[in-house]
Amino acid sequence: MTVFEFLLALYAIVAGLGVSLLVTSVGQMIEARDRVRLYWVHGCWIALTFVGHVVSWFTIWRFHEHAPWTVLQALLLLSVPILLYLISHLAVPDLEDDRSHDMRDYYFRHARWTQGLLLGVVVAGTLSHFVIDHDYDLTGARGVRASIALILLPGIVSLNPRVHAAQAVLLCVAIAIAASYVSRPIG
């Protein structure tokens, strides 16, 4: 087993736990649909988190021929699924109780943390590419990362619903653009 295969396995475990947590949470929302008041921005964040998990997992393939690995490189690479897991954890409240839940209130209660963690994902992903590839080019998919970081900043600072609505739309567009880069064949 190569070091990359080992890191890929560990990455897949953490990412799989995050996706599993996210899917379980959505399943709980469906089960508790009579007690859950949905909010479209919150729904966008759940979708973005799922796409983030999938896209980040596929983008690490670019490092399959990289050797040797340092601990710093491994930590940067593995910080991405860890941060995405934390976002997945914050995506939906525990719905096991019999109370009603307003996803708008829940979203704004965790918005700064969620967006700060996603900014951490963007920064860690960018740093891992710089540290592993020694490539400082900010065009293409890395340019999309920079635009996502800029879109996130206002939502970390402000809890204005209009700001977050605009962010949700812009982030969906940015993720669609980023997905076009990932839709290219792997390898």
Side-chain angles (χ1 to χ4, degrees):
M1 175 180 273
T2 67
V3 175
F4 176 76
E5 291 169 337
F6 178 76
L7 289 172
L8 181 64
L10 189 53
Y11 196 106
I13 289 168
V14 177
L17 288 170
V19 170
S20 176
L21 182 61
L22 196 62
V23 171
T24 299
S25 297
V26 170
Q28 287 179 347
M29 285 177 63
I30 293 168
E31 286 178 352
R33 64 189 169 276
D34 296 335
R35 299 181 287 112
V36 174
R37 184 171 165 232
L38 300 176
Y39 178 50
W40 73 272
V41 173
H42 177 256
C44 286
W45 273 95
I46 290 173
L48 290 168
T49 303
F50 177 76
V51 171
H53 276 292
V54 174
V55 168
S56 72
W57 190 62
F58 276 102
T59 59
I60 68 165
W61 183 254
R62 72 174 300 158
F63 304 124
H64 73 282
E65 293 180 352
H66 177 75
W69 284 88
T70 66
V71 173
L72 174 63
Q73 292 169 340
L75 287 172
L76 281 171
L77 193 69
L78 293 173
S79 66
V80 171
I82 291 168
L83 292 169
L84 284 167
Y85 175 88
L86 293 172
I87 295 168
S88 295
H89 181 73
L90 291 175
V92 178
D94 183 17
L95 300 172
E96 295 294 320
D97 58 15
D98 289 328
R99 296 182 306 134
S100 294
H101 295 274
D102 185 337
M103 291 299 111
R104 185 177 194 279
D105 292 342
Y106 184 82
Y107 168 80
F108 281 107
R109 194 167 118 231
H110 296 290
R112 285 188 171 132
W113 273 97
T114 303
Q115 294 198 23
L117 289 167
L118 187 56
L119 182 60
V121 168
V122 172
V123 169
T126 302
L127 282 175
S128 66
H129 285 266
F130 290 162
V131 170
I132 296 168
D133 279 348
H134 304 290
D135 182 5
Y136 302 99
D137 181 23
L138 286 177
T139 61
R142 290 188 210 132
V144 174
R145 273 195 194 139
S147 66
I148 289 172
L150 290 175
I151 293 168
L152 289 170
L153 290 175
I156 295 170
V157 176
S158 170
L159 290 178
N160 183 323
R162 289 183 183 159
V163 169
H164 288 262
Q167 275 186 305
V169 171
L170 291 172
L171 287 170
C172 285
V173 169
I175 291 297
I177 293 168
S180 73
Y181 289 105
V182 182
S183 67
R184 296 177 185 156
I186 298 172

